[in-house]
C-alpha cells in the first residue's frame, strides 16, 4: 500500500503523452487547420467585419444544425450568452438562481448581472455536475411553490431557474434534473459553455433546457477569438434573444427606435468567419480529443492514487479538458504535483475555487456542499489540445 | 424666398460628391488598406486569437500614445467601455447620471447596467452636445450638494456623473462643462464613442473626463470588428478597469480566485490585430474625412434651407459622420429627403430618436429639451466613408 502519490510516475506518464519537442504545453490551445484564413480574408476583402455580413447567420445555422437546436443566436462571449438566457428565462432583480458552486465564475456573474442571487448547490462525483437527487431533497426542505412560483422559505425570494454546468464538457445527468425542475416550477437553463460536441443520451447538451449558452473562448473546443451562442428550441425566445443582443432596435429603413433596454452583445462577422471554419473541423477535433482522453486513461491505469475522469455512462463527452482525480488520501500532494508539472512546462491547474468561497459570493445561500468541497482538492486539469494528437 | 426645400438640388449635390459607379453608398464603410491581413494572419498562424497575444497591449499603447491618455484598456465594444467607466466613476445602483437626450441608446443603456437612472439634459446647436450653461442653470434649480455629493432635490437620488457625448465626432464644449462638474461635485465621464481623432483646444477628446469610452464598431473611424477602449489618466483606475474587464481574476500561476463581480469584456487579440493596422492609417483616414467634409461644405454653400454642420471654433473634429441641418421652416420635408436619397442608394438617416421618447426612458427625469427636440427634426446624416475620397 502506497503511503503517498508517486509524483515522479505521474510526471513521467504526462511526458509520455505530450509532444516532447515543445517547451510549453498549454492546457488548451486552438487549432487552425481549415478555412480560417480564407473566411477571415473574405471579411477583410469585402469590408464586412462587424455587425453585418454573412458569417454570423452562417455560424448560427451551423450551430443549430449540429446541436439539433431549433435556433442559435451568436453573441460576443459565453458570459453574455448566459446573461441573456437567464433574462429570457424570467430571472429578475431579487430572484434566486440555483447554480453549482463548482463552476467557472461566469455562471455566478451572469446571475448577478440580472440583479439576482446565486444559490449554490452540490455536484455528484460521477458527473462533476449538479446532483439531481441532492437538489430535490434540499428543495423539499427549503422551497415551496406559491402561485406556481418556487419560493425559498428561508429568504422569501423567488427561485426562478436551475443552471447546471457541464463541467469540462461532461454532461450533467439531465433527465432527473429536468424532473426536479418540473416538480418545483423552475426553468432549466444549461451552462453548456464547455460542452460543444457533448451528448446526453444521444441528444446534444444545450438542447434540454429552455435556453442554453455555449462559449467559443480561445481555450474552448472551437474558438471565435471571443464568442458565445444562445441555443433554444423556442422560436419566440430566439427572436427576443436576437433583439436584446442587438440593442433592441426596432427594424426600420432609417429610424433609430429601441423598445427596451438592450445589449451590444452581437458577435462581429470577423469572429463568426473564424467560427465557421472551426465548425467545419469539429468532428475531426472531437475524434482527436477522444483519442487523447483514451490515451490518458490507458496510461494512468496503473498509477496508484490517481484516476483519469471518464464520461458518465449516459453520455458521450467532448473531453474538452481532461482531469486527473487524486484519491482523497493524497490531496495534500496536489500542489506538489501542480508545481512539478508546471515547472517542466506542462500546464496543469486545479479546478476553479468554489464559488461560495469567493468574497462576493460568500454570503449567498447554499446547501451542504460536501462533495464539491472534496472534489475541489482532488481535481487537476491536464493538457487537452487537439494539436497534441497531431504533434505525436 | 423659397417656400420649400429643393429636394432635387440636394440630391444632385449629393450625387456630385459620391462615387457614381457604386450602386449603394453606405453611411460609413470601413477601409482596410494597410497591414490588416498581415496582422490578422499572424494571429491565426501563432494561434493567439483570444485572451492572450501581443496585439491587445500594442493596441492599448497605440491608443494611449495617440490620444495622450496615460492609460488605455481595450474591451469588447464601446458600450462595455462606458459601462466600466461609469462603475469606476462611482455610479451605483439608484444613482442618477446626466446624459444628453440626443445620443445613441448605448449611453443610456450603460447607465441602466449600473442600476442607475439616466437624467436627460439638453444640447446646444453649435456643438450638438451638452449645453454647459443650460445644465448649470438647471442644476442650480434642482440639485444641492450634501456631504460633498450632488443630490437631486426632486427625486432624492444622488447625481454622480455627467456624460457628454461628442456627437458625430464634434467635441462638446468641455471646459465650461468641467467647471459645472467641479461646482456640483460631479464626475465627468466622456462618451467619446464617435470622436477618435477629434481634439478640443488641441487636446484629444476623451482625456478631459476622469474616464472615457471610445468605440471601434464597424461604422466608426477605425474598426476592430467590434471593440471599444477605456481611456484614463489615473493609473489606479486603469488597473481596476483591466481587472474588472477580465473577470476580476487575481493573478496566480494556477489558482482561479476572483475578488469581485467582474465582466468578460476583454477585446480578443484577433480584433486588436485589426485595430493596430487601422490605427496606423488613422492620420490618413482623418485627412480624407476632413477633405470630404470640406467638399460637402463647399457644395452645399449655395443650397437654400440646408447647412452642413461644421466643427465648433474650439475644435478639430474627426468629421466621423457628416450631417445636413435642415432649416426649421423646412423640417416637414425631412422624410421626403430621406426617401429620395435612400431610394437611389445613397444611405441617409435622421439622428437617433431622442432618449426621453423611448418607452423604457420615458419616465426618467429630464430638463427642458427644446433644442434637442428641434434638432431631432432637422439632422440628416450623409455618407462619410474614408473610401469615398479614394473612389473619386
Amino acid at each position: 500500500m502506497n503511503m503517498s502519490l508517486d509524483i515522479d510516475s505521474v510526471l513521467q506518464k504526462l511526458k509520455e503523452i505530450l509532444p516532447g519537442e515543445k517547451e510549453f504545453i498549454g492546457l488548451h490551445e486552438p487549432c487552425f487547420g481549415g478555412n480560417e484564413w480564407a473566411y477571415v480574408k473574405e471579411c477583410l476583402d469585402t469590408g464586412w467585419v462587424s455587425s453585418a455580413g454573412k458569417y454570423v447567420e452562417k455560424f448560427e445555422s451551423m450551430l443549430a444544425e449540429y446541436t439539433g437546436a431549433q435556433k442559435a443566436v451568436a453573441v460576443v462571449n459565453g458570459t453574455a450568452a448566459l446573461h441573456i438566457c437567464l433574462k429570457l428565462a424570467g430571472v429578475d432583480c431579487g430572484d434566486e438562481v440555483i447554480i453549482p458552486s463548482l463552476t467557472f465564475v461566469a455562471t455566478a456573474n451572469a446571475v448577478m448581472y440580472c440583479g439576482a442571487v446565486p444559490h449554490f448547490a452540490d455536484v455528484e462525483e460521477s458527473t462533476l455536475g449538479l446532483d439531481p437527487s441532492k437538489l430535490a431533497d434540499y428543495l423539499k426542505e427549503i422551497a415551496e411553490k406559491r402561485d406556481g412560483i418556487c419560493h425559498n422559505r428561508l429568504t422569501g425570494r423567488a427561485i426562478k431557474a436551475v443552471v447546471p454546468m457541464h463541467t469540462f464538457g461532461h454532461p450533467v445527468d439531465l433527465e432527473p434534473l429536468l424532473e426536479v425542475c418540473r416538480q418545483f416550477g423552475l426553468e432549466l437553463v444549461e451552462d453548456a459553455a464547455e460542452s460543444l460536441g457533448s451528448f446526453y443520451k444521444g441528444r446534444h447538451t444545450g438542447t434540454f433546457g429552455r435556453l442554453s449558452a455555449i462559449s467559443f473562448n480561445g481555450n474552448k473546443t472551437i474558438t471565435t477569438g471571443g464568442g458565445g451562442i444562445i441555443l433554444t428550441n423556442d422560436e419566440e425566445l430566439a427572436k427576443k434573444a436576437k433583439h436584446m443582443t442587438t440593442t433592441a432596435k426596432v427594424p426600420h429603413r432609417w429610424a433609430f427606435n429601441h423598445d427596451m433596454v438592450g445589449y451590444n452583445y452581437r458577435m462581429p462577422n470577423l469572429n463568426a468567419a473564424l467560427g465557421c471554419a472551426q465548425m467545419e473541423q469539429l468532428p475531426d477535433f472531437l475524434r482527436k480529443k477522444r483519442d487523447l482522453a483514451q490515451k490518458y486513461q490507458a496510461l494512468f491505469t496503473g498509477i496508484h492514487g490517481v484516476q483519469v475522469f471518464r464520461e458518465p455512462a449516459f453520455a458521450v463527452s467532448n473531453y474538452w479538458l481532461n482531469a486527473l482525480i487524486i484519491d482523497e488520501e493524497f490531496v495534500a500532494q496536489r500542489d506538489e504535483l501542480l508545481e512539478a508539472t508546471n515547472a517542466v512546462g506542462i500546464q496543469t491547474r486545479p479546478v476553479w475555487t468554489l464559488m461560495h468561497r469567493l468574497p462576493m459570493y460568500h454570503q449567498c445561500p447554499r446547501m451542504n456542499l460536501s462533495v464539491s468541497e472534496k472534489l475541489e482538492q482532488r481535481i487537476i486539469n491536464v493538457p487537452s489540445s487537439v494539436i497534441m494528437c497531431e504533434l505525436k
Side-chain angles (χ1 to χ4, degrees), chain A residues 2-3 7 47 58 89 121 192-193 204 215 222 243 251 277 282 310 333 345 365:
Chain A
N2 295 12
M3 295 304 290
I7 302 280
K58 190 180 171 196
H204 198 280
S215 162
I222 72 160
H243 187 61
L282 179 59
R310 287 168 189 251
Q333 286 175 271

Side-chain angles (χ1 to χ4, degrees), chain A residues 86 91-97 108-119 157-158 160 361 364:
Chain A
L86 291 172
V91 175
D92 285 323
C93 205
D95 291 338
E96 289 181 12
V97 177
N109 288 346
V111 174
M112 295 294 279
Y113 303 159
C114 299
V117 178
H119 187 146
R157 291 188 287 243
K160 286 281 182 69
Y361 296 125
C364 292

Side-chain angles (χ1 to χ4, degrees), chain A residues 69-184:
Chain A
Q70 285 297 308
K71 290 281 168 187
V73 177
V75 296
V76 81
N77 55 53
T79 313
L82 190 57
H83 178 198
I84 298 301
C85 288
L86 291 172
K87 287 198 82 94
L88 287 175
V91 175
D92 285 323
C93 205
D95 291 338
E96 289 181 12
V97 177
I98 307 246
I99 69 169
S101 184
L102 187 141
T103 187
F104 178 59
V105 74
T107 320
N109 288 346
V111 174
M112 295 294 279
Y113 303 159
C114 299
V117 178
H119 187 146
F120 301 115
D122 207 9
V123 299
E124 48 185 350
E125 202 176 321
S126 59
T127 67
L128 306 179
L130 281 184
D131 182 332
S133 79
K134 193 166 176 179
L135 180 60
D137 290 348
Y138 177 65
L139 288 174
K140 269 174 214 152
E141 197 185 300
I142 66 119
E144 64 188 1
K145 241 171 146 175
R146 289 201 312 264
D147 306 323
I149 291 165
C150 184
H151 281 83
N152 181 336
R153 278 192 276 110
L154 306 176
T155 64
R157 291 188 287 243
I159 307 178
K160 286 281 182 69
V162 174
V163 184
M165 197 277 286
H166 304 294
T167 306
F168 310 145
H170 305 301
V172 166
D173 197 358
L174 282 159
E175 277 176 1
L177 205 55
L178 279 163
E179 181 50 36
V180 175
C181 288
R182 262 190 296 272
Q183 211 176 322
F184 286 91

